[in-house]
């Protein structure tokens, strides 16, 4: 008996033989496409620009715009393509109308290569042709990026319509093989689950399933009547578990439990895929009816690696291409071994993977008519034909839809065709030998370093570098950047959802406790308490915190002052280690702290987790930064003299924090002060005083000495004002409202009798943040990001979007989608996972925001207001005003709630002028695909944090140092490399080392701190 490998080689050789009989280049149709792809493979920079140009093209309406974009995208090209583009651009300038049309026509041609038709009728022409070639079909409706429930309803309706057309038009069509045809219905529809619910949140699969199932049932019912097959496509990893759960749930329901014409995709590039497949098979056996699995490698490799790197997650995909290939083969075996319950379809263009399936089926005695090979429309035509000729069942995956919704699909296909590691490129563009193409992937894996790679982040970085060689420059960190952020919790994992649920229920039992002040290490009850309440349920007291008055403030200043004399001489290493221990404790108590935030400040799960992550990051980042600046630095190298620059702490810091990032901001300012050697009086906001108490507890456990940190909640107007004015307070770190910030700034400017130092004020205040959506912006992204930036955490972030600036040209298109998106966001009690909009912090905020809504109604037009908010708790309906003018109060004053003002402008000049026309300069956003406009926005928008093509909230420590200017703050950057300097005074120590004209030849590097007594 021949080995499996030699069977594979023989079958592979046969396929290649047939492929070579009908030579067709990889890019069979349009010459323009062929040329573009060939260039893309040669030049990574060109490829990136081409894909971006392809991406923006459908949204450009005027020919002049097309020509401008062409020039902007390609003007910097270095090599051979440049003259071509420049000639094109010159011609285009002369006749933009003609050139625009020609380009659009050519790119549409490229898209038509992969998109089988514009609509159901259109696609039938092509399906008939394929039928003549004995190729079956599965049709997929393009339109993945839905931003609202209206759009998901439209998608569901289009699916039904498509089913009807396909069934009607294919009546009488028979199975090309004529055997086992009951397993392979003619009509086959592939469905993208995420297109059926716009609020899918990985943390809440139950909610997604509750919304998806009712949308799917009518489609399944009709499919059943029409004897059609429905396949669930698999998308990004974030949706994988929900898609699998939904599949199992819906096909276990009484109505569908015996229905065999359903299938789902398994992605072999996922490390979880074997466990998922085995679980599906067990489920199928328990159910007792057949189902199908389409095995693919997976289309989102780049996306998954980027996403996991950005969030610090374990990467769900394999890093080495042969690992995916090996796994594909292992899963092929599992499918065949369970052929009695599962019908296999292999979605691969790789002749090795295909030949392996054929050979293995033979070895296991499975008839070739009991499985099928599936291919993407427009790709690998010769392989499809070869398989038909050999006698296998072949089905083509045919996307249907307009160009605009099809763009992300098209870009994925372009990436696939030009991917360095892809089979198609190797075979059809690079003519790699057949022997090489048929090699056992296990061998390749063995040859690569140590075989299977670990799942660490560094490896992802390297894998990405390998994948994007010309981008590697941009992936290299700046010399000072060695900081790796703490990961976010990935709620896609059930385990993390369970931990959060458990933490919430445990926290519920601990609500209502009393918390003392901590002064000089002593617990102090004052007889007066501040009740911190749950804004979702104001009758619930989260905790009662002792309220400090003037007397306690005085005690705290004395304690901090006394402790300073010792703390200032503690080595920075010791202080840095304190922060690191605190970070470790926070990590250990992560879910508990997040649960507390849900109750105390109404944060949705992911926002709460994000806050803890940020607090951890502040600890670790500031510890690292202190190590970088802590040691004295030589100023210049001159003989005979040593001059060292170094820092001293300022003294006693009074930290005044807001409630909206109750651990991150309070913790960030406090740890910055501590690590720099200052002692601290920490005043949390009254609304989040329990979170403050937790932070105190954590820092005490980490070992902060008595008096170095004092926890002092109390009334800002009484105890707070007293400390601001106090002669013994040297530094005030404040984040909060403009009103209080300016008062502190002014008051701190007055020198009191006995005051030692000029007070330093670090002052972070509010914003009136604008986002501009340019006429060529990607609305699928812009709408989702703007909706989140405006309404996420109820608009209570200082970075939140509150002014949306739209160009006349796309105003209607944006508004139509925005209003529907706003109507779709989930509003509710944030104890439930997946909520976007919870309650605002308290009754005062509630009344203030409602008052602004009344002002808005009198000044502008109420375009949208949500109706269905919970009756109990401080829930404000997401609200959108249009016809807003820049001088109106709702366009100028900070509302700090889920209220957006939309301003219509004529052009980008006016948009930037309006964006800059406020007192504030905190965050701003710009959505555009015009490189020139992006450059302009980068240069001209007045904000401390300018975000291009992404949400304007969610700054990450070290990556997006945060803080504004104008009336948003004093220009400091929390989480930035220069932040700690605010807490320090610089000193220079100069020593002449010359004695009688003699000096050492080389000045020794000072390796220690100036500490006394030395320990
Ligand atoms: C009919 C059909 C339906 C499909 N449906 C889906 C679907 O629902 N969901 C989906 O995600 N995809 C789907 N795909 C797309 C499919 O994932 C890609 O076409 C496929 O991965 C390409 O693999 P290949 O075997 O043809 O080519 P090959 O060139 O052998 O493999 C390329 C694949 O290897 C993987 N890979 C690339 N680089 C690396 C690396 N460094 N480390 C590890 N792995 C790597 C990637 O998955 C890449 O796509 C479908 C494909 C077909 C043909």
């Amino acid at each position: 008996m021949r080995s499996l490998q030699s069977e594979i080689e023989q079958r592979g050789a046969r396929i290649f033989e047939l492929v070579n009989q009908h030579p067709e280049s990889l890019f069979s149709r349009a010459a323009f496409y062929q040329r573009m792809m060939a260039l893309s493979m040669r030049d990574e920079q060109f490829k990136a620009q081409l894909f971006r140009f392809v991406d923006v093209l459908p949204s450009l309406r005027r020919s002049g715009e097309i020509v401008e974009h062409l020039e902007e995208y390609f003007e910097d090209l270095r090599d051979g393509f440049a003259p071509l583009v420049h000639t094109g651009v010159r011609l285009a300038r002369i006749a933009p109308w003609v050139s625009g049309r020609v380009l659009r026509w050519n790119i549409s041609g490229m898209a038509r290569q992969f998109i089988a038709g514009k609509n159901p009728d259109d696609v039938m022409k092509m399906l008939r042709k394929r039928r003549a070639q004995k190729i079956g079909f599965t049709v997929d409706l393009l339109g993945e990026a839905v931003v609202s429930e209206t759009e998901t309803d439209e998608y569901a309706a289009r699916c039904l319509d498509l089913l009807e057309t396909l069934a009607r038009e294919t009546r009488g069509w028979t199975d090309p093989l004529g055997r086992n045809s009951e397993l392979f219905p003619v009509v086959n529809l592939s469905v993208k689950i995420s297109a059926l619910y716009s609020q899918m949140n990985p943390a809440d699969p139950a909610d997604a399933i509750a919304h998806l199932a009712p949308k799917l049932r009518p489609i399944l019912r009709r499919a059943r009547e029409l004897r059609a097959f429905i396949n669930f496509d698999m998308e990004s990893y974030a949706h994988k578990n929900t898609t699998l759960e939904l599949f199992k749930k819906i096909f276990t329901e009484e109505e569908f439990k015996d229905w065999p014409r359903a299938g789902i995709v398994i992605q072999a590039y996922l490390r979880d895929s074997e466990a998922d497949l085995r679980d599906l098979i067990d489920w199928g056996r328990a159910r007792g009816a057949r189902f199908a699995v389409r095995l693919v490698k997976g289309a989102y490799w780049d996306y998954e690696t980027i996403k996991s790197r950005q969030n610090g997650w374990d990467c769900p995909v394999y890093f080495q291409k042969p690992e995916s290939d090996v796994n594909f083969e292992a899963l092929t075996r599992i499918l065949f071994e369970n052929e009695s319950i599962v019908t296999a379809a292999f979605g691969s263009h790789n002749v090795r993977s295909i030949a392996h399936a054929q050979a293995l089926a033979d070895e296991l005695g499975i008839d070739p008519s009991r499985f099928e090979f599936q291919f993407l429309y427009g790709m690998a035509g010769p392989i499809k034909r070869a398989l038909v000729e050999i006698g296998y069942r072949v089905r083509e995956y045919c996307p249907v839809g307009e160009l605009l919704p099809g763009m992300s699909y098209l870009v994925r296909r372009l990436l696939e065709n030009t991917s360095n590691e892809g089979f198609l490129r190797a075979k059809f563009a690079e003519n790699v030998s057949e022997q090489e193409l048929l090699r056992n992937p296990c061998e390749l894996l063995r040859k690569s370093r140590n075989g299977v790679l670990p799942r660490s982040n560094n490896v992802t970085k390297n894998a990405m570098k390998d994948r994007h060689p010309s981008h590697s420059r941009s992936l290299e960190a700046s010399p000072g950047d060695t900081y790796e952020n703490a990961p976010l919790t990935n709620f896609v994992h059930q385990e993390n959802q369970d931990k959060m649920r458990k933490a919430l229920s445990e926290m519920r039992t601990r609500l209502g406790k009393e918390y003392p002040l901590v002064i000089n290490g002593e617990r102090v009850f004052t007889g007066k308490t501040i009740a911190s309440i749950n804004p979702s349920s104001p009758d619930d007291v989260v905790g009662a915190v002792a309220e400090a008055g003037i007397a306690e403030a005085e005690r705290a200043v004395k304690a901090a002052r006394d402790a300073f004399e010792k703390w200032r001489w503690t080595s920075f290493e010791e202080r840095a280690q304190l922060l690191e221990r605190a970070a470790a404790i926070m990590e250990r108590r992560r879910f508990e702290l997040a649960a507390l935030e849900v109750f105390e400040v109404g944060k949705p799960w992911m926002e709460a987790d994000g806050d803890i992550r940020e607090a951890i990051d502040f600890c670790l980042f500031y510890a690292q930064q202190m190590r970088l600046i802590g040691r004295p630095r030589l100023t210049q190298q001159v003989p005979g003299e040593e001059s060292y620059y170094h820092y001293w702490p300022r003294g006693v810091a009074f930290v005044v924090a807001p409630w909206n990032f109750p651990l991150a901001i309070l913790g960030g300012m406090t740890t910055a002060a501590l690590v720099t050697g200052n002692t601290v009086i920490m005043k949390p906001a009254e609304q989040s005083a329990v979170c403050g108490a937790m932070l105190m507890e954590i820092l005490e456990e980490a070992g902060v000495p008595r008096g170095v940190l004092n926890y002092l909640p109390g009334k800002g107007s009484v105890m707070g004002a007293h400390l601001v004015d106090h002669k013994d307070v040297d530094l005030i770190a404040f984040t909060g409202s403009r009103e209080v910030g300016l008062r502190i700034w002014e008051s701190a400017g007055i020198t009191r009798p006995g005051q030692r130092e000029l007070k330093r004020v670090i002052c972070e205040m509010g914003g009136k943040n604008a986002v501009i959506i340019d006429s060529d912006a990607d609305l699928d992204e812009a709408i989702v990001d703007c909706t989140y930036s405006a309404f996420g955490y109820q608009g209570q972030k200082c970075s939140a979007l509150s002014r949306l600036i739209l160009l006349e040209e796309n105003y209607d298109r944006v508004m139509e989608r925005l209003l529907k998106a706003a109507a779709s966001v989930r509003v509710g009690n944030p104890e439930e996972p997946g909520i976007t909009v919870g309650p605002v912090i308290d009754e005062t905020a509630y009344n203030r925001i409602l008052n602004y809504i009344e002002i808005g109604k009198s000044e502008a037009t109420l375009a949208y207001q949500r109706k269905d908010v919970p009756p109990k708790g401080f829930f404000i309906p997401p609200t959108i005003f249009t016809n807003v003018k820049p001088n109106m109060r709702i366009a100028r004053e900070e509302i700090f709630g889920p209220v957006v003002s939309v301003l219509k402008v004529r052009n980008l000049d006016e948009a930037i002028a309006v964006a800059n026309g406020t007192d504030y300069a905190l965050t701003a956003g710009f959505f555009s695909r015009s490189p020139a406009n992006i450059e302009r926005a980068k240069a001209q928008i007045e904000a401390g944090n300018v975000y291009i093509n992404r949400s304007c909230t969610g700054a990450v420590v070290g990556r997006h140092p945060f803080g504004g200017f104008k009336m948003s703050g004093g220009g400091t950057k929390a989480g930035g490399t220069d932040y700690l300097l605010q807490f320090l005074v610089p000193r220079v120590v100069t020593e002449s080392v010359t004695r009688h004209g003699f000096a050492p030849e080389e000045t020794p590097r000072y390796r220690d701190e100036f500490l006394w007594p030395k320990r």
Side-chain angles (χ1 to χ4, degrees), residues 750-815:
I750 301 169
T751 312
R752 323 271 161 186
Q755 186 172 323
R756 239 170 33 115
E757 293 274 345
L758 296 178
K759 278 188 216 268
R760 167 59 65 101
V761 180
I762 297 150
C763 192
E764 296 289 338
M765 301 181 291
K768 189 69 191 171
N769 311 309
V771 169
I772 302 169
I773 301 187
D774 202 356
S775 57
D776 66 351
D778 181 341
L779 294 192
D780 290 345
E781 284 176 7
I783 302 283
V784 171
D785 289 347
C786 288
T787 310
Y788 195 78
S789 301
F791 301 133
Y793 189 39
Q794 303 77 275
Q796 299 179 113
K797 302 178 192 177
C798 35
S799 54
L801 156 63
S802 77
R803 295 179 301 143
L804 182 62
I805 301 174
L806 302 181
L807 306 195
E808 252 170 24
E809 204 176 332
N810 61 349
Y811 180 86
D812 292 338
R813 283 187 304 138
V814 175
M815 285 311 295

Side-chain angles (χ1 to χ4, degrees), residues 532-554:
S532 172
I533 54 128
N534 177 354
S536 303
S537 171
D539 298 336
D540 296 342
V541 175
V542 175
V545 179
E547 181 186 331
I550 306 287
E552 290 77 25
E554 283 296 333

Side-chain angles (χ1 to χ4, degrees), residues 683-749:
K683 179 189 151 344
E686 292 161 42
Q687 299 89 333
S688 60
V690 178
C691 285
M694 288 303 123
L695 182 64
M696 183 72 216
E697 208 175 285
I698 289 164
L699 282 158
E700 281 194 311
E701 186 186 337
V704 71
R706 294 160 70 91
V708 169
L709 175 63
N710 302 278
Y711 168 64
L712 211 69
K715 289 219 159 51
S717 53
V718 183
M719 172 279 271
H722 181 75
L723 285 175
V724 166
D725 294 346
H726 204 288
K727 70 177 176 52
D728 283 330
V729 168
D730 305 290
L731 162 80
I732 300 152
F734 168 80
T735 305
S737 72
R738 171 178 173 179
E739 187 198 347
V740 179
L742 291 184
R743 228 183 295 139
I744 292 177
W745 194 271
E746 188 183 346
S747 174

Side-chain angles (χ1 to χ4, degrees), residues 10 46 56 96 118 185 258 456 484 492 572 617 625 673 694 723 736 740 817 908 911 928 939 999:
Q10 194 206 15
F46 173 78
V56 69
K118 269 198 210 142
D258 57 351
S456 89
E484 288 263 352
V492 83
F572 65 78
D617 267 340
Q625 291 301 311
M694 288 303 123
L723 285 175
V740 179
R817 297 188 78 189
L908 189 57
S928 174

Side-chain angles (χ1 to χ4, degrees), residues 234 267 297-299 319 321 324 348-350 416 423 467:
M234 197 56 83
Q267 296 156 315
K297 282 169 202 157
F319 295 127
K321 165 75 167 61
S324 296
S348 171
H349 303 139
N350 184 325
E416 188 167 340
F423 174 87
R467 181 74 168 238

Side-chain angles (χ1 to χ4, degrees), residues 970-985:
T972 47
K973 284 289 193 191
T977 47
D978 50 7
Y979 186 65
L980 294 186
L981 299 183
Q982 316 297 325
F983 294 78
L984 294 160
V985 280

